[in-house]
Amino acid sequence: VDHELGLLRQVIVGMAAAAHLKRHLQENRAAVVGTGWGRTLEQMTLNLAGVSAPEAKFISLMGSLTANSAYNPFEVVHALARATGGEGHVLPVPFIADSAADRQVLLSQRSVQQGLQLAQETTVAYISIGELTEASLLRRQGMISAAELTSLRAAGAVGDTNGLFFDRDGAPVDHELNGRTIALSFDDLR
């Protein structure tokens, strides 16, 4: 029952997000739409039939997941571009780098810098908020380990958005994963 209610919530929120995006694209023909990842955003992409926005650009606000799934940031962007006739842009890097040093190398790449520049120009962003439990998508997909989940909680993390972990006040937590995640920063998201 909990799973079915969760899926129903995702479908309903996805439909509402699609309706919001349709209005935004009608009012902003050259919109730059930032996206995150997740099952709710996947539902949003499934509810955009009949929308034409060839001048719109869609940009992933985070790196990619290793699994090829409909809620992967790359897939979300490309589904939105296909549905609307707009352009799809991605950050061609992993979601979480192996180390903070690797993250810096990846961020220095010209294609990543160009993607982040476009991401900073978004007119609207659709991102998800994730919970930090064993049942969360981050854990089920193996993107963070059980030990990392425990240490995130010990650091005060209660959730994430685009792989950026925050505390109950919405502030980023002091945790090494926040130094390895490749995504638009909290400041830029604001």
Side-chain angles (χ1 to χ4, degrees):
V1 173
D2 286 341
H3 174 72
E4 291 172 0
L5 286 175
L7 181 58
L8 182 59
R9 275 189 231 119
Q10 291 164 10
V11 169
I12 292 169
V13 173
M15 290 172 64
H20 184 271
L21 178 56
K22 287 176 187 179
R23 285 190 305 276
H24 184 76
L25 292 172
Q26 288 170 347
E27 296 167 4
N28 303 281
R29 301 304 294 170
V32 178
V33 179
T35 66
W37 72 296
R39 295 167 293 197
T40 304
L41 292 180
E42 173 192 8
Q43 290 298 320
M44 180 180 77
T45 68
L46 298 174
N47 286 282
L48 283 177
V51 176
S52 178
E55 297 173 50
K57 295 179 182 176
F58 299 90
I59 177 72
S60 173
L61 302 179
M62 59 188 287
S64 179
L65 312 180
T66 56
N68 184 19
S69 59
Y71 49 78
N72 186 322
F74 285 14
E75 295 301 323
V76 170
V77 163
H78 291 299
L80 291 168
R82 275 192 308 271
T84 63
E87 293 178 14
H89 301 266
V90 297
L91 296 180
V93 291
F95 175 48
I96 299 175
D98 290 339
S99 69
D102 287 349
R103 178 181 181 269
Q104 291 307 313
V105 169
L106 292 167
L107 287 174
S108 72
Q109 302 300 304
R110 186 176 328 128
S111 59
V112 177
Q113 289 295 311
Q114 290 169 341
L116 288 171
Q117 179 63 41
L118 181 60
Q120 291 171 351
E121 297 171 13
T122 57
T123 56
V124 66
Y126 296 92
I127 57 176
S128 58
I129 305 291
E131 62 185 354
L132 284 179
T133 67
E134 280 297 324
S136 71
L137 203 50
L138 284 173
R139 277 294 298 129
R140 288 202 331 261
Q141 294 294 317
M143 291 176 272
I144 63 171
S145 68
E148 288 169 329
L149 175 65
T150 300
S151 69
L152 281 162
R153 286 186 185 155
V158 297
D160 86 287
T161 185
N162 293 1
L164 299 168
F165 300 93
F166 55 84
D167 64 19
R168 67 184 189 155
D169 296 320
V173 296
D174 183 17
H175 192 276
E176 63 97 17
L177 274 175
N178 275 350
R180 292 176 33 213
T181 299
I182 302 175
L184 200 62
S185 71
F186 277 113
D187 289 337
D188 288 331
L189 285 173
R190 277 187 199 88

